Amino acid sequence: MSLAVLWQSSHRRIFTFGLFTALALAVLTMTFQHFHLDNCATVASWKFCKFSSHFGERVLAVLVLSTIYAVARRNHLTELFHAIQAPGPLGAPMIAAAGGLLLAVIPAVVVGPDAEGSALLAALVAWASGVVLASGAALRLLAPWPVWLRTFQSGRLLLPILVIVALALPELGDLLFPLWHLDIIRDFTFSAVVWMSGQMGLQLVHEAGYVLRDGSFAVEVGQSCSGVEGFVLTSVFLGGYATLFWRQLSLWRVLSILPLALALSWLLNVFRISLLIWIGVNVSPTLAVEGFHSHAGWLLFSGLALLMIGVVHTIPWFRSERIKTSSHMDRASADAPLPPLVQDWNVARILPFAVFMFSALVASTFFQHPVLAYPIRLLLMLAILWVFRTHLLALPWRLDFQAMAMGAGIGAIWLVTAPSDAGADLAPALTGLGSGVFILWIIARSIGTSLAVPVIEELFFRSYLLDLLGAQQSIGRTILAVAISTAAFAVLHDRWLAAALAGLVFAWLALRRDGRLTDAILCHMVANALIAAAAIIEGNWGLL
């Protein structure tokens, strides 16, 4: 098998692994954020708390730079690609990966965010142990450990250096914080924020120091607003790309774009601060400080860095002259087209759920009441399902009255066991909506709950996860696979016990007739439709 063919055939599994890793990363990051950092420092080392608080950023940076390395040095990774494609039993690492994830997540369900003392310490130990177990098992899913060891050795010092740099990105940003204390940078940034905020219609009052106030909301434009995260991400990602592709690129041309990239990063940071103030004044101080400020910076700066890499990789001007004059065959071999991922059944089962979870993260970042963003989330869910419509239409759709009856029973149990104060926290958010917008929200919420969500969740939990854990191999594996997938499904719901019972029913329906996933989807749809109908009749949106 040629290297190009091997690369294309292995790419699908790598992409699927990446999506699953991204889902686990989101869950692990949110799980740690469940514990207040101040409480963490009372029972654990300050260094551990600081390192863990940036867990998501570190792992994402490792994934980005490792992916760039794999693309640039694919000739050195032939053994790894062969190992990924080699058949063999993977049950043990699959179970270990899922077990590690559950070990890290369960404390967030059992222990509240205000936990202290031994309970908090036990939760943090379980979280850290789960991260280590899940990470090691996830790597073992792709290849045996000796292959990984030889892969690192083949890269000599380059790959370990890239991993270390990625893990240390937050600390690299801290090293640049002294730049903020230079008057020219601090004053120029502050003046730019004042000007841009004015263009947004804000009437800012400059108080002592670098504090800006509009009405009751005030923000100090301090060191954390310096934007050094953007400088670091842009420089490291672009520098890593240039280092790995130095044979194909004209390095001086790539370096010439770095000042532009840093300038754009600075402008993006000014916009970020101004938008944070606007949100605090016009939407919600809580959303501005606890939502937007916590997530938007990393998302915006990472997007800009990757955009600059895309520009460099796309425009021929940045390529080396020897690459431009090489034969068409050489260029085609170097830039082999990606396989049609839309045709991959694994991707079809994972990507919709990834979009579903990512949309929830974005909603919590930009909306004080994330539930108000549901119409936008529905559009994203419908769009990704449309992309994979060929797979969905090929499923054996039919009415199964037993599945429908069980769905009605699940819906009834969910309604009967609903807490009396369900939806109390949503009332203020929904009351402020106009009648037309409120009706639109009700329609979107009902469609998403009854149709889109059941398809997305069943594709991931009752199809992909059950297959991944070998549910069809033996009775023992079936029991274990159902237990793990059901536990993962329950963790995503506030009422985890009722969700776990529903998950068991969905799993039984999906497995009873040679994998009739549509029976589980139909049951889930009926249950959610009944709940949505009750919510509309009672006006109790907390039921959904």
Side-chain angles (χ1 to χ4, degrees):
M1 181 183 295
S2 68
L3 181 61
V5 174
L6 179 62
W7 169 253
Q8 291 185 18
S9 61
S10 64
H11 187 275
R12 293 186 179 184
R13 185 172 179 182
I14 294 175
F15 184 80
T16 304
F17 166 81
L19 287 176
F20 186 75
T21 301
L23 291 175
L25 177 60
V27 172
L28 291 171
T29 301
M30 290 186 292
T31 302
F32 183 83
Q33 291 177 349
H34 182 74
F35 308 110
H36 293 305
L37 292 182
D38 293 338
N39 290 347
C40 172
T42 62
V43 297
S45 166
W46 174 82
K47 293 182 179 180
F48 167 82
C49 296
K50 185 177 186 299
F51 185 90
S52 301
S53 66
H54 295 285
F55 172 77
E57 292 94 324
R58 299 180 200 276
V59 177
L60 284 174
V62 170
L63 291 173
V64 170
L65 288 179
S66 298
T67 301
I68 297 174
Y69 176 87
V71 175
R73 296 290 186 269
R74 55 186 181 269
N75 290 333
H76 297 164
L77 304 179
T78 304
E79 183 185 10
L80 178 61
F81 293 147
H82 276 296
I84 292 174
Q85 291 298 309
L90 295 177
M94 288 178 184
I95 295 173
L101 190 58
L102 287 178
L103 179 62
V105 169
I106 287 177
V109 179
V110 179
V111 179
D114 297 324
E116 299 178 349
S118 59
L120 177 59
L121 178 60
L124 290 175
V125 170
W127 181 86
S129 302
V131 168
V132 173
L133 178 59
S135 301
L139 290 176
R140 180 59 184 86
L141 281 172
L142 289 180
W145 285 114
V147 176
W148 283 112
L149 179 61
R150 288 191 290 270
T151 298
F152 268 84
Q153 292 175 343
S154 68
R156 297 181 181 177
L157 293 178
L158 181 57
L159 183 55
I161 288 175
L162 287 176
V163 172
I164 292 173
V165 170
L167 291 174
L169 272 182
E171 283 69 29
L172 292 177
D174 292 345
L175 294 177
L176 293 182
F177 274 147
L179 292 175
W180 179 250
H181 300 291
L182 298 177
D183 291 340
I184 185 172
I185 295 179
R186 183 173 52 199
D187 294 342
F188 191 46
T189 301
F190 184 80
S191 300
V193 170
V194 172
W195 177 85
M196 185 169 289
S197 300
Q199 304 306 306
M200 294 180 175
L202 298 174
Q203 303 295 326
L204 298 180
V205 177
H206 180 194
E207 298 183 347
Y210 292 88
V211 176
L212 295 173
R213 177 182 296 276
D214 188 321
S216 61
F217 182 75
V219 62
E220 180 182 3
V221 183
Q223 181 171 279
S224 61
C225 302
S226 61
V228 295
E229 290 175 323
F231 294 161
V232 171
L233 285 173
T234 302
S235 301
V236 170
F237 284 174
L238 192 59
Y241 169 79
T243 301
L244 291 168
F245 283 91
W246 68 272
R247 295 181 183 275
Q248 291 85 6
L249 297 172
S250 173
L251 293 183
W252 74 268
R253 293 181 180 179
V254 175
L255 291 176
S256 69
I257 202 176
L258 182 60
L260 174 61
L262 296 178
L264 291 175
S265 177
W266 179 82
L267 288 174
L268 189 62
N269 183 58
V270 171
F271 172 76
R272 176 179 71 104
I273 301 172
S274 303
L275 184 57
L276 182 146
I277 299 174
W278 186 92
I279 293 174
V281 172
N282 295 284
V283 182
S284 166
T286 302
L287 174 64
V289 175
E290 297 182 4
F292 185 84
H293 185 266
S294 301
H295 302 295
W298 179 264
L299 292 175
L300 293 174
F301 293 138
S302 297
L304 175 63
L306 294 176
L307 177 62
M308 298 306 298
I309 290 178
V311 170
V312 171
H313 196 75
T314 303
I315 299 178
W317 183 76
F318 291 102
R319 298 175 187 170
S320 172
E321 292 298 329
R322 62 178 177 272
I323 297 297
K324 292 180 182 179
T325 57
S326 64
S327 67
H328 175 75
M329 182 176 298
D330 290 340
R331 293 197 302 271
S333 176
D335 302 318
L338 296 178
L341 295 173
V342 173
Q343 301 176 13
D344 193 305
W345 175 228
N346 285 333
V347 177
R349 294 184 291 179
I350 296 177
L351 189 55
F353 187 72
V355 171
F356 175 66
M357 295 295 292
F358 179 75
S359 67
L361 175 62
V362 173
S364 65
T365 300
F366 292 96
F367 288 81
Q368 179 183 9
H369 301 284
V371 70
L372 298 182
Y374 204 87
I376 300 175
R377 295 187 63 196
L378 175 62
L379 291 177
L380 293 174
M381 286 187 281
L382 294 177
I384 194 63
L385 289 176
W386 175 259
V387 170
F388 295 104
R389 63 190 181 279
T390 302
H391 294 283
L392 298 178
L393 294 175
L395 294 174
W397 294 97
R398 67 178 181 83
L399 292 178
D400 184 278
F401 293 104
Q402 184 181 12
M404 296 173 66
M406 298 180 75
I410 291 173
I413 293 175
W414 189 270
L415 294 174
V416 170
T417 59
S420 58
D421 60 346
D425 57 335
L426 298 180
L430 299 177
T431 302
L433 298 178
S435 58
V437 177
F438 183 55
I439 292 175
L440 175 63
W441 184 88
I442 293 176
I443 295 174
R445 184 72 173 180
S446 301
I447 294 175
T449 300
S450 304
L451 299 177
V453 171
V455 175
I456 291 173
E457 291 187 339
E458 295 309 309
L459 282 173
F460 182 74
F461 289 104
R462 254 66 64 177
S463 181
Y464 179 76
L465 276 189
L466 290 181
D467 286 352
L468 181 70
L469 298 171
Q472 303 286 356
Q473 296 181 13
S474 65
I475 295 179
R477 292 292 294 274
T478 299
I479 294 174
L480 187 61
V482 170
I484 292 176
S485 64
T486 300
F489 178 72
V491 166
L492 293 182
H493 296 76
D494 293 334
R495 296 160 58 187
W496 60 270
L497 180 57
L501 294 175
L504 291 174
V505 175
F506 298 150
W508 179 78
L509 289 171
L511 295 172
R512 63 172 179 160
R513 294 179 179 173
D514 297 327
R516 292 294 294 253
L517 179 64
T518 52
D519 289 350
I521 295 176
L522 180 62
C523 180
H524 200 155
M525 284 182 173
V526 171
N528 283 14
L530 180 61
I531 297 169
I536 294 174
I537 294 173
E538 299 179 14
N540 185 359
W541 308 111
L543 295 174
L544 297 174

